[in-house]
Amino acid sequence: MRTLDSNTSLRIAVQKSGRLTDKTLKLLEGIGLKFDDYKRSLLVRCLNFDVELLLIRDDDIPEYVEDGVCDLGFVGANVVEEDQADVTILRGLNYGVCRLSLAAPKEDKLKSAEDFSGKKIATSYPGITGRFFESRNIDVQVITLSGSVEIAPRLEIADAISDLVSTGGTLKANGLEEVIKIFDSETQLVKTNKPLSNGKSELIEKILQRIEGYQKAANSRYIMMNAPEKAVPRIKEIIPSLKSPTVMPLADNGMVAVHTVIPLTTFWDVMEQLKEVGATGIVMLPIESMIV
Ligand code: ATP
Ligand code: ZN
């Protein structure tokens, strides 16, 4: 077991190659961590923080973090839940969003959990799937497969499956129908429960704060527009702003430029209302990071 050691770098586990890899590395770079070419090595040093990345299979991440081999890990909630890993979930990260669902051949017309009673269910998630049925006292036979679960019914290895779904396209292409969602997932930042040095804890706190700023920025847009000065009170009502907007006079008499930040989800509503009160030249820009 590792001991408190302030001389070692903060070690972060990241999926080596898969759906989470690029988004995780983009997030780490987005919060200001710089890395050498991470395609070349499994252990990648950060150039400007006392951090190193360990690139491994996603299935191994919860265990590495639980054992304290890594201090942090970026991994799907599905994998953490499957392993029932003893780690602390610091934050959900809004990418790698998917769900674990029960699916069966369309023609079987299964509808409820009870309809799966006595069936053979193929899955890469025997833990989550087994617990789902156990907690409902429904007897099923869970068959563990490591991949290509969706073809199990056609191969007559199983009657139904429990698999990760994002769009549902793979299920459809295999003649399967999604029946019940059993687990919602997204990528999570997880932390070891082993003791950490003060230096590492402070660094983790800093990383968390930067991630918060990065996520806020990703969900916000900077907008700029020109408007008649008399429309400013109405504009202030329309804009669900974080703080009061910047209003600057323009060379044209009675006209002003208004700059502010809005949540991305409100963009189209806000845009239409702004046009109605006379705003023109409305421009929206992405924001790199934000501290409020
Ligand atoms: P590894 O070689 O690291 O074991 P893998 O094949 O298990 O890779 P990926 O297919 O890259 O893993 O999926 C990684 C994670 O991406 C999943 O555990 C899940 O959290 C998330 N994910 C998001 N959408 C989907 C989807 N449609 N199918 C599978 N995983 C998804
Ligand atoms: Zn995996």
Side-chain angles (χ1 to χ4, degrees), residues 14-42:
V14 173
Q15 188 186 20
K16 181 171 178 284
S17 138
R19 291 171 197 259
L20 309 184
T21 310
D22 286 350
K23 285 187 175 144
T24 302
L25 293 170
K26 190 167 159 255
L27 167 65
L28 290 170
E29 281 169 358
I31 62 165
L33 275 63
K34 294 195 173 67
F35 297 97
D36 251 347
D37 182 4
Y38 37 73
K39 298 260 148 55
R40 282 199 312 236
S41 164
L42 293 186

Side-chain angles (χ1 to χ4, degrees), residues 19 21 23 31 54 72 85 93 98 178 181 224 232:
R19 291 171 197 259
T21 310
K23 285 187 175 144
I31 62 165
L54 182 65
L72 294 178
L93 297 164
C98 58
E178 190 173 353
K181 176 179 78 182
M224 309 188 284
V232 170

Side-chain angles (χ1 to χ4, degrees), residues 108-289:
D108 291 356
K109 297 193 167 50
L110 302 190
K111 294 282 171 245
S112 66
E114 287 72 23
D115 293 345
F116 287 82
S117 178
K119 305 258 185 224
K120 277 191 209 159
I121 303 173
T123 186
S124 304
Y125 294 87
I128 303 178
T129 307
R131 290 192 289 273
F132 173 84
F133 286 107
E134 271 159 35
S135 67
R136 286 164 179 74
N137 284 321
I138 298 169
D139 258 346
V140 295
Q141 191 185 336
V142 175
I143 295 166
T144 307
L145 299 179
S146 58
S148 306
V149 168
E150 65 278 2
I151 58 167
R154 260 194 293 159
L155 299 179
E156 294 177 7
I157 298 170
D159 306 304
I161 66 167
S162 165
D163 203 10
L164 293 177
V165 184
S166 44
T167 60
T170 307
L171 292 183
K172 250 200 197 131
N174 287 282
L176 300 169
E177 188 172 43
E178 190 173 353
V179 182
I180 303 170
K181 176 179 78 182
I182 61 175
F183 186 75
D184 265 316
S185 188
E186 65 176 339
T187 307
Q188 292 177 331
L189 175 60
V190 297
K191 182 174 82 106
T192 189
N193 287 334
K194 300 280 186 220
L196 293 171
S197 66
N198 288 343
K200 281 188 179 181
S201 296
E202 280 161 23
L203 194 48
I204 290 173
E205 197 45 47
K206 189 168 196 167
I207 287 173
L208 265 178
Q209 276 172 15
R210 288 192 181 193
I211 289 178
E212 196 177 323
Y214 181 87
Q215 286 184 317
K216 278 207 183 108
N219 295 325
S220 303
R221 290 294 180 271
Y222 192 82
I223 64 165
M224 309 188 284
M225 74 205 84
N226 294 340
E229 195 172 4
K230 61 178 171 23
V232 170
R234 280 286 295 121
I235 290 176
K236 281 189 180 165
E237 280 169 27
I238 295 165
I239 293 171
S241 180
L242 296 166
K243 56 185 174 75
S244 114
T246 308
V247 180
M248 291 163 286
L250 290 176
D252 274 358
N253 229 355
M255 290 294 285
V256 289
V258 181
H259 290 198
T260 193
V261 173
I262 60 164
L264 180 59
T265 49
T266 64
F267 178 71
W268 288 108
D269 277 351
V270 166
M271 189 84 146
E272 285 156 11
Q273 293 179 51
L274 289 173
K275 266 177 76 182
E276 275 169 27
V277 299
T280 54
I282 307 171
V283 173
M284 173 176 87
L285 299 171
I287 304 170
E288 246 177 50
S289 192

Side-chain angles (χ1 to χ4, degrees), residues 15 17 56-60 78-79 125 146:
Q15 188 186 20
S17 138
I56 50 182
R57 289 197 57 194
D58 70 339
D59 313 57
D60 295 334
N78 51 304
V79 181
Y125 294 87
S146 58

